[in-house]
Amino acid sequence: MNYCPHCGQAVELTVPPGDHLPRHVCRGCGAVHYQNPKIVAGCVPEYEGRILLCRRAIEPRLGYWTIPAGFMENGETLQDAARRESVEEAMADVEIGSLLAVIDVLHAHQVHVMFRARLPEPRYGAGAESLEVALYEEGDIPWNEIAFRSVDFALRRFLEDRSSGLERHHFHAIDLRRSR
Amino acid sequence: MNYCPHCGQAVELTVPPGDHLPRHVCRGCGAVHYQNPKIVAGCVPEYEGRILLCRRAIEPRLGYWTIPAGFMENGETLQDAARRESVEEAMADVEIGSLLAVIDVLHAHQVHVMFRARLPEPRYGAGAESLEVALYEEGDIPWNEIAFRSVDFALRRFLEDRSSGLERHHFHAIDLRRSR
């Protein structure tokens, strides 16, 4: 951030009075512009034991496989967001189920919230951000071609819990920042 | 948003190609500036059955009671954020426990994530954003003076679960947008 989104004057990085972290503060109007983690919502859609995966048509990780997931929008719930992303990326109308995983992705300033989901009918297809979409048996999941660590984590916990007959939720933190 | 934070040119609200919602797009550099929900992390600190509440010294809801909670920062986990807010608002060094509530606050573009927490020692005090901080027995909680609906929801679920010997998590949506 170089300029104030409100008034267009230059901002500087400084610790405001009473605060404890540097913020972008406008030299003109004095507005303080906070930057906070963004939420990615997604789900593991299941149809008769098989899992719906999407091969990414966009960067980052173009060509790698993921579950339907994306940035939550203002005005929707986490479940709304996970359902919408399944429609957009996999053309799949899923029923969102229980909470599966909450992953703090510290280097990316993101929190990933993943749910279990049911695909009632085997109807799906490649949305604009996917090269292909397919149902995978557990033994066929392309583990070496999974796009993101958070997706790998969510898929593994999903399968472990399913084999135990459980629907737990799992917290996890991923931090790829360089050590100082 | 009126100006591009990158280049300082004017932005306009328009639907970018391939998108489905209006975004702030820079007329100069073409950057698309997304606006997404922010995360508020908090906890219900418990000491020998009593609950730690803070009376707000700041707007909104100055003078009303709340649990320690605030905006999550980049580079911290949800649990880190909840713990930090307890230190800042209640000068309380808590141990964060299980997930209690996830509340989509649709009109505010926020997601509130509340945890159970343990206060190991009865050491606490009013931080800069609190007028006073106190331990409340369940029967003495000032329900008519609770600052936010999400806090009311979290406290009630906490107490219900505690009386049942459970540690469940609860989803909830609050929407005070005017109907169109």
Side-chain angles (χ1 to χ4, degrees), chain A residues 73 76 84-85 88, chain B residues 15-23:
Chain A
E73 302 277 8
E76 65 184 2
R84 177 181 51 72
E85 291 290 341
E88 290 179 11
Chain B
V15 180
D19 205 336
H20 61 288
L21 285 176
R23 312 286 181 183

Side-chain angles (χ1 to χ4, degrees), chain A residues 23-87:
Chain A
R23 313 287 180 181
H24 291 97
V25 179
C26 180
R27 287 178 180 155
C29 71
V32 182
H33 301 288
Y34 299 91
Q35 294 183 325
N36 304 90
K38 289 182 191 290
I39 299 169
V40 169
C43 67
V44 179
E46 190 180 26
Y47 173 74
E48 293 188 349
R50 288 179 290 166
I51 291 167
L52 195 70
L53 297 180
C54 312
R55 201 153 74 86
R56 289 174 62 81
I58 54 171
E59 295 291 358
R61 304 295 276 161
L62 191 153
Y64 285 78
W65 291 89
T66 186
I67 57 177
F71 288 111
M72 183 179 181
E73 302 277 8
N74 286 345
E76 65 184 2
T77 67
L78 284 159
Q79 288 88 345
D80 289 341
R83 195 181 308 116
R84 177 181 51 72
E85 291 290 341
S86 293
V87 171

Side-chain angles (χ1 to χ4, degrees), chain B residues 94-141:
Chain B
V94 303
E95 297 167 4
I96 301 295
S98 57
L99 180 64
L100 169 61
V102 180
I103 302 136
D104 297 294
V105 187
L106 294 162
H107 55 280
H109 304 161
Q110 294 174 0
V111 178
H112 294 195
V113 181
M114 308 301 201
F115 295 89
R116 293 174 185 83
R118 194 174 84 90
L119 182 63
E121 303 289 336
R123 281 199 292 263
Y124 54 86
E129 298 180 3
S130 303
L131 295 171
E132 57 179 314
V133 173
L135 284 171
Y136 276 95
E137 298 284 355
E138 176 170 352
D140 297 330
I141 291 175

Side-chain angles (χ1 to χ4, degrees), chain B residues 2 33 66 74 172 179:
Chain B
N2 304 305
H33 301 287
T66 186
N74 287 344
H172 188 49
S179 50

Side-chain angles (χ1 to χ4, degrees), chain B residues 8-44:
Chain B
Q9 303 279 309
V11 296
E12 62 183 343
L13 206 56
T14 181
V15 180
D19 205 336
H20 61 288
L21 285 176
R23 312 286 181 183
H24 291 98
V25 180
C26 180
R27 287 176 178 154
C29 72
V32 182
H33 301 287
Y34 299 92
Q35 293 183 325
N36 303 91
K38 289 183 193 290
I39 299 168
V40 168
C43 67
V44 178

Side-chain angles (χ1 to χ4, degrees), chain B:
Chain B
M1 176 176 282
N2 304 305
Y3 299 94
C4 176
H6 297 171
C7 78
Q9 303 279 309
V11 296
E12 62 183 343
L13 206 56
T14 181
V15 180
D19 205 336
H20 61 288
L21 285 176
R23 312 286 181 183
H24 291 98
V25 180
C26 180
R27 287 176 178 154
C29 72
V32 182
H33 301 287
Y34 299 92
Q35 293 183 325
N36 303 91
K38 289 183 193 290
I39 299 168
V40 168
C43 67
V44 178
E46 190 181 25
Y47 174 74
E48 294 188 347
R50 288 178 290 166
I51 293 168
L52 195 70
L53 298 180
C54 312
R55 200 153 75 88
R56 289 173 63 80
I58 54 172
E59 295 289 357
R61 306 294 276 161
L62 191 153
Y64 286 78
W65 291 88
T66 186
I67 57 176
F71 287 112
M72 183 180 181
E73 302 277 6
N74 287 344
E76 65 184 0
T77 66
L78 284 159
Q79 287 88 345
D80 290 339
R83 195 181 308 114
R84 177 181 51 71
E85 291 289 343
S86 293
V87 171
E88 291 179 10
E89 299 186 351
M91 302 169 76
D93 189 12
V94 303
E95 297 167 4
I96 301 295
S98 57
L99 180 64
L100 169 61
V102 180
I103 302 136
D104 297 294
V105 187
L106 294 162
H107 55 280
H109 304 161
Q110 294 174 0
V111 178
H112 294 195
V113 181
M114 308 301 201
F115 295 89
R116 293 174 185 83
R118 194 174 84 90
L119 182 63
E121 303 289 336
R123 281 199 292 263
Y124 54 86
E129 298 180 3
S130 303
L131 295 171
E132 57 179 314
V133 173
L135 284 171
Y136 276 95
E137 298 284 355
E138 176 170 352
D140 297 330
I141 291 175
W143 292 109
N144 293 329
E145 298 169 46
I146 297 297
F148 304 109
R149 291 182 191 214
S150 65
V151 172
D152 184 279
F153 178 83
L155 282 171
R156 290 182 191 277
R157 297 298 86 70
F158 176 89
L159 294 168
E160 286 170 7
D161 282 359
R162 188 174 73 172
S163 72
S164 310
L166 299 171
E167 292 200 11
R168 299 179 296 188
H169 66 274
H170 305 270
F171 281 93
H172 188 49
I174 298 171
D175 191 352
L176 302 184
R177 292 176 291 193
R178 289 163 190 271
S179 50
R180 290 172 196 175

